[in-house]
Amino acid sequence: MRRSFVCFFAIAVLAGLGSTQPAFAQEETTPPVELDDLPRSVEREIEQAEREIERAQRAAERAADRAERHMDGRNDRVIVNIGDNSSLPAGEYADAVIAVLGSASSAGEVGEAVVAIGGNASATGPVGEGVVALFGNVYVDSEVGEDVVAVFGNVQLGPNAVVNGETVSVGGAITRDPASKVHGGQQQIAFGKHFGDLKWLKAWFEQCLLYGRPLAFDQSVAWAWWLAAGFLGLYVLLAVMFDGALQRCVTTLEERPGESVIATILSVLLSPILIIVMLITIIGAALVPFLALGMFCAALFGKAVVLATLGRRITRFTGIGAFGHLAVATLIGGLIVLLLYTVPVLGFIVSNIVGALGFGVVIYTLLLAQRARSAAAAPAVQTVAASSAAPSAIPPDATIASTAVAGDGSTVPPPSAAPENLSNIELNSQPRAGFWIRMGALALDALIVGILVKWVDPSDELFLVALAGYGALMWKLKGTTVGGIVCNLRVVRTDGRDIEWETAIVRALGCFLSLIPAGLGFIWMVFDNNRQTWHDKIAGTVVVRVPRNTPLV
């Protein structure tokens, strides 16, 4: 009874709003205008207005029904299934029927929408809003309040279908019964005769993507196998043409697996940041396409490196000379990876790991080559270190003069050279600082910076930025921080050069990367032979223990 009253009241209000004349105007003697005498444009506007009134009436009915269900204490009902079909029997009501990786069908009344992702959508009962299918077909044989859409699928309208919105098919076809009605028009978006209705893409979605793998043993995705074989041929060709460069990258991955993994993580994290920074600059924005092209080429070459490394695990045991070439190892490694691509879930994991690891290895190999060139460009530093280490370079008088006699007659050993007088090579030969002493120095620095930041900005939002800036400034000016001075620590470059602004800033920014994965970059020094953290490896630095009494100024 309440529902009938609410519906009657809503329809009466809408009818009153749709009237364009007051009640007393009906008493005029002007004859009514026949519909046939109106222009066609006016007729269309009248028809559109009538459809809008009907749609509003249906919306009012749905609102009244929902209000009645709330008054009766009944909650909204939504049918959702993931990996299975969703269905609504005839005579029942639901606000929505949704299926993910399954089909959605409704024979009852749906207040909002019927949606299927990776399956077909069917509606033989009234639907308040729309019917949508992604990578599936749509069948409608009832009234739909708004749109009917199929993406990479076909749309079929039965004889009882009434679509008050638009009927759209992307990459498929629309078939209608002559008795069906579509008030909002229809659109059939195709991709040309070579793509047809995209059955090939739908088959890959169903056979590969839904299972989390790039390839599958199914005839419908044969094109994916041909594409993968083409890329494998490209990797083998790269191994033939650039065997020297490929060999250096393979050696890096085999001899430095841990560092290669770190370089991969950093490359993946820093690449988007680098592109964003270049985009916000006028000059850098023009270089972004070239950077993107270079990254794409590095990724392709890196995949060949990973495949060759994997293949060499097998070819080195054969003892056949022809199998020693990297091209053969790349081919064998590629075949193994293609088989792994067919395993559900593992296929996509392997694909992502191979691509990311290859890119990181190439970047890391380029950094090692640059570091080697920088070390070769500094022969003067090495000459000074060699001369200082030679015994003949020390004058005889120096030893005598440096030996003093105490009051009791014992000799006092000569004092150690002041840390600020030690060369970079000599500092680099000092013992490496361990985890706890470095954490103690960091805690002292954090306390100092925290007090200053708290005094300037009570919100502490600038703490990490201030700590990084403080570290970069102190490393450049003094080679250490206040905490490092207290703990007798010094930051030095591994190639013997002085710390420049670029090195200090890169090391400071690298600290954020060491901190992001739960501080793993800092903990890495415990397992590293050179006691280097991630930001040490990025900047090419080490932290050493030096003699006491390092002056602050």
Side-chain angles (χ1 to χ4, degrees):
M1 183 64 183
R2 288 193 300 265
R3 177 179 180 182
S4 301
F5 174 76
V6 174
C7 291
F8 175 78
F9 178 76
I11 294 172
V13 172
L14 292 172
L17 293 176
S19 177
T20 59
Q21 294 182 347
F24 61 83
Q26 298 177 359
E27 299 177 359
E28 298 179 0
T29 58
T30 303
V33 180
E34 297 293 338
L35 189 61
D36 296 338
D37 298 335
L38 295 176
R40 182 55 186 166
S41 60
V42 178
E43 293 180 5
R44 287 196 296 267
E45 292 180 0
I46 294 176
E47 294 174 356
Q48 179 66 23
E50 291 177 350
R51 287 196 297 269
E52 292 297 333
I53 292 175
E54 292 177 359
R55 182 179 298 183
Q57 290 175 348
R58 288 191 297 270
E61 292 177 358
R62 291 196 300 270
D65 182 75
R66 181 171 297 180
E68 181 182 1
R69 287 185 287 108
H70 278 292
M71 292 173 65
D72 293 340
R74 293 176 289 166
N75 296 326
D76 294 341
R77 180 188 180 192
V78 177
I79 301 176
V80 180
N81 283 302
I82 300 177
D84 198 0
N85 300 328
S86 297
S87 61
L88 178 66
E92 296 186 10
Y93 175 88
D95 286 283
V97 179
I98 303 173
V100 180
L101 306 181
S103 298
S105 61
S106 171
E109 180 182 358
V110 178
E112 295 180 1
V114 178
V115 180
I117 301 176
N120 301 325
S122 173
T124 56
V127 179
E129 294 184 3
V131 182
V132 181
L134 176 62
F135 288 97
N137 301 324
V138 173
Y139 175 77
V140 174
D141 193 29
S142 61
E143 183 175 3
V144 179
E146 296 182 6
D147 301 329
V148 174
V149 181
V151 181
F152 300 138
N154 302 321
V155 175
Q156 182 180 359
L157 302 181
N160 301 317
V162 178
V163 182
N164 294 285
E166 293 186 350
T167 300
V168 181
S169 175
V170 180
I174 299 176
T175 57
R176 294 177 50 185
D177 188 275
S180 62
K181 298 179 182 179
V182 178
H183 296 304
Q186 65 182 41
Q187 299 183 40
Q188 183 171 322
I189 304 174
F191 294 92
K193 62 181 181 180
H194 297 291
F195 291 91
D197 59 356
L198 295 182
K199 292 183 178 179
W200 55 276
L201 184 58
K202 181 180 178 182
W204 183 83
F205 179 87
E206 295 176 347
Q207 299 295 331
C208 299
L209 184 60
L210 296 182
Y211 291 94
R213 58 187 180 184
L215 298 174
F217 292 106
D218 191 275
Q219 183 64 29
S220 60
V221 293
W223 63 270
W225 282 96
W226 284 109
L227 183 62
F231 274 102
L232 179 56
L234 175 61
Y235 302 145
V236 174
L237 181 62
L238 291 175
V240 173
M241 297 177 60
F242 307 100
D243 55 338
L246 190 71
Q247 179 62 57
R248 287 193 291 271
C249 293
V250 170
T251 302
T252 300
L253 182 57
E254 290 179 340
E255 295 181 354
R256 301 170 179 246
E259 292 88 341
S260 299
V261 173
I262 296 175
T264 299
I265 298 174
L266 296 178
S267 300
V268 172
L269 293 177
L270 288 178
S271 296
I273 299 176
L274 178 60
I275 293 177
I276 293 174
V277 172
M278 294 181 65
L279 285 175
I280 62 179
T281 60
I282 300 176
I283 299 177
L287 301 178
V288 169
F290 301 97
L291 176 62
L293 179 61
M295 294 173 62
F296 176 74
C297 295
L300 284 180
F301 194 81
K303 280 195 173 183
V305 172
V306 176
L307 298 181
T309 305
L310 180 61
R312 284 184 59 169
R313 299 290 179 180
I314 298 177
T315 57
R316 64 181 180 180
F317 295 110
T318 60
I320 303 176
F323 281 16
H325 199 283
L326 285 179
V328 179
T330 303
L331 177 60
I332 295 177
L335 294 177
I336 295 174
V337 170
L338 289 182
L339 293 178
L340 294 176
Y341 280 176
T342 62
V343 181
V345 181
L346 180 63
F348 271 143
I349 295 177
V350 171
S351 176
N352 293 328
I353 290 178
V354 169
L357 182 60
F359 179 71
V361 169
V362 171
I363 299 299
Y364 185 47
T365 304
L366 292 175
L367 292 177
L368 290 177
Q370 180 62 32
R371 184 178 300 178
R373 285 192 293 267
S374 300
V381 176
Q382 298 178 359
T383 303
V384 171
S387 61
S388 62
S392 60
I394 303 176
D397 296 340
T399 304
I400 299 175
S402 62
T403 303
V405 180
D408 57 356
S410 61
T411 59
V412 178
S416 301
E420 65 273 17
N421 296 329
L422 296 177
S423 67
N424 292 331
I425 298 297
E426 291 172 327
L427 285 173
N428 203 354
S429 64
Q430 298 296 318
R432 300 295 188 256
F435 175 79
W436 293 112
I437 189 67
R438 290 182 62 174
M439 290 300 101
L442 178 60
L444 181 58
D445 292 328
L447 178 62
I448 296 173
V449 175
I451 294 175
L452 296 177
V453 171
K454 192 70 175 180
W455 179 62
V456 177
D457 182 14
S459 63
D460 291 338
E461 295 180 355
L462 301 177
F463 172 72
L464 291 179
V465 177
L467 183 61
Y470 158 82
L473 180 64
M474 294 296 295
W475 295 329
K476 172 61 178 71
L477 298 180
K478 295 297 298 179
T480 185
T481 60
V482 176
I485 293 175
V486 174
C487 299
N488 302 308
L489 304 180
R490 180 71 68 89
V491 179
V492 295
R493 287 183 60 97
T494 57
D495 56 7
R497 294 189 299 164
D498 294 332
I499 295 181
E500 302 172 346
W501 282 113
E502 294 83 354
T503 303
I505 294 174
V506 168
R507 191 174 192 272
L509 294 177
C511 291
F512 289 101
L513 297 177
S514 297
L515 181 65
I516 289 174
L520 179 60
F522 289 94
I523 303 175
W524 192 264
M525 75 174 78
V526 178
F527 309 99
D528 189 79
N529 295 330
N530 211 22
R531 295 293 187 268
Q532 286 181 297
T533 59
W534 288 2
H535 48 277
D536 282 325
K537 292 183 178 295
I538 296 172
T541 59
V542 292
V543 179
V544 298
R545 300 284 300 270
V546 296
R548 295 184 179 274
N549 302 324
T550 302
L552 180 60
V553 294

